[in-house]
Amino acid sequence: MADYILSDELREAVHVAEITMRPLLLKGEPGTGKTLLANYVAEARKLPLFRWHVKSTSLAKEGLYFYDAVARLNDSRFPEEEAMLRVRDVKNYIRLGALGEAFADPKKSVVLIDEIDKADIEFPNDLLLELDKMEFFIPETKEMITAKERPLIIITSNNEKELPDAFLRRCIFHYIEFPKREAMKEIILAHYPRINTELMEKALAMFYTIRKIESLRKKPSTSELLDWIQVLLHTGETLSSDQIPFAGTLFKSEEDYRVHLN
């Protein structure tokens, strides 16, 4: 990912996580590149990446393994010898999750646990032992899965809920600040190296002016700025001080859209 700009502070946080062999917990506004860091590190170091995108219904166990009892029951309905042999071996119905695959991989890897704060409050606590010991037990097969190489675990949170202290103690923490103007120029140029300087400066001025509006429900993020610039470049639209073309690219709620009209 040549277009990902890694700040010195974030580079240091990754380095500290590797030295201590603890998960790196990232917080920051949506669109500041928390999730993309895992892709960047994996690509830069040519390591396999295992992704676990957490949902509100996610359970900690799903990141380790899943026993498909329904598939096994369904297969047991068929009398063929091949089907019966498959049913007898419970291993055929065990699927490893992202952490499980990383532990089983003989090589070092990167694990992304994305938006951990979406799940139940007990979700992080249910992973404490596995993150400490880098191993877990599968009772259905009576197997202990132990990491051969301790993976670099990157965890993201959007601050939707507080994370337990016991979990936080086991992590290296880094807050990704929203990019200042000069840093944002680097990001834009990494994505659109041939952009006209005047257009970029006008777009940045308008973008940061918008972000200063206190009444906005959701301030536009880096990803929305990049989308907006892409549209401007594609259409050849010019910017003036009295209008915001393609405002729906920057504003993502009816209230914010009305604010810009006023």
Side-chain angles (χ1 to χ4, degrees):
M1 293 185 65
D3 54 4
Y4 188 87
I5 305 298
L6 187 67
S7 69
D8 291 340
E9 295 80 9
L10 188 50
R11 189 186 306 276
E12 180 182 278
V14 172
H15 188 49
V16 170
E18 290 181 305
I19 292 172
T20 59
M21 294 188 290
R22 291 189 178 276
L24 174 59
L25 174 62
L26 298 176
K27 289 189 179 184
E29 282 188 41
T32 49
K34 299 186 297 295
T35 299
L36 291 177
L37 176 67
N39 298 67
Y40 172 83
V41 173
E43 286 187 20
R45 303 184 185 181
K46 296 180 172 55
L47 299 175
L49 172 61
F50 300 100
R51 300 178 180 86
W52 183 8
H53 298 289
V54 178
K55 303 176 182 178
S56 60
T57 56
S58 294
L59 301 175
K61 180 181 174 183
E62 295 169 359
L64 305 173
Y65 79 98
F66 172 71
Y67 169 46
D68 196 344
V70 175
R72 191 181 189 192
L73 179 63
N74 185 60
D75 287 349
S76 67
R77 297 166 47 228
F78 300 97
E80 291 84 358
E81 183 178 354
E82 183 179 344
M84 295 310 297
L85 287 172
R86 177 176 173 79
V87 169
R88 289 192 192 104
D89 189 352
V90 70
K91 288 184 180 180
N92 293 320
Y93 302 93
I94 298 293
R95 303 287 181 268
L96 294 179
L99 273 175
E101 288 186 298
F103 289 2
D105 196 310
K107 305 181 294 297
K108 185 177 177 63
S109 61
V110 178
V111 178
L112 170 65
I113 304 178
D114 199 24
E115 299 188 328
I116 194 170
D117 52 324
K118 277 189 174 179
D120 182 84
I121 188 63
E122 289 303 320
F123 179 94
N125 281 336
D126 291 341
L127 288 173
L128 294 182
L129 180 62
E130 289 76 15
L131 293 178
D132 270 346
K133 301 294 185 182
M134 287 289 152
E135 64 182 22
F136 65 95
F137 183 68
I138 303 178
E140 288 84 0
T141 60
K142 296 180 173 55
E143 286 182 287
M144 179 69 78
I145 306 296
T146 304
K148 299 171 177 61
E149 285 282 345
R150 196 176 185 100
L152 171 61
I153 300 174
I154 297 174
I155 304 171
T156 73
S157 168
N158 285 328
N159 257 348
E160 291 187 11
K161 60 172 68 79
E162 287 296 321
L163 299 174
D165 288 345
F167 177 79
L168 294 174
R169 283 198 301 272
R170 289 164 169 81
C171 297
I172 301 301
F173 175 78
H174 182 74
Y175 185 88
I176 301 181
E177 297 286 349
F178 194 83
K180 292 183 170 56
R181 187 163 174 148
E182 288 305 311
M184 191 65 84
K185 282 184 185 179
E186 286 188 55
I187 295 171
I188 293 171
L189 289 171
H191 286 80
Y192 308 110
R194 298 181 181 179
I195 187 173
N196 177 277
T197 302
E198 183 181 1
L199 173 63
M200 179 173 66
E201 293 292 349
K202 285 185 176 180
L204 281 170
M206 193 171 286
F207 175 74
Y208 280 101
T209 298
I210 291 169
R211 282 186 55 85
K212 289 179 182 177
I213 301 174
E214 294 295 334
S215 58
L216 285 185
R217 180 182 172 193
K218 179 191 180 303
K219 295 181 180 181
S221 68
T222 305
S223 59
E224 280 132 1
L225 172 61
L226 293 174
D227 286 345
W228 187 46
I229 289 176
Q230 182 182 15
V231 176
L232 293 173
L233 291 172
H234 183 80
T235 61
E237 184 76 29
T238 57
L239 294 177
S240 62
S241 58
D242 60 345
Q243 63 173 344
I244 304 174
F246 314 112
T249 313
L250 295 172
F251 301 106
K252 299 301 173 71
S253 74
E254 184 180 351
E255 299 95 315
D256 291 349
Y257 197 86
R258 285 176 176 170
V259 167
H260 108 272
L261 292 175
N262 297 325

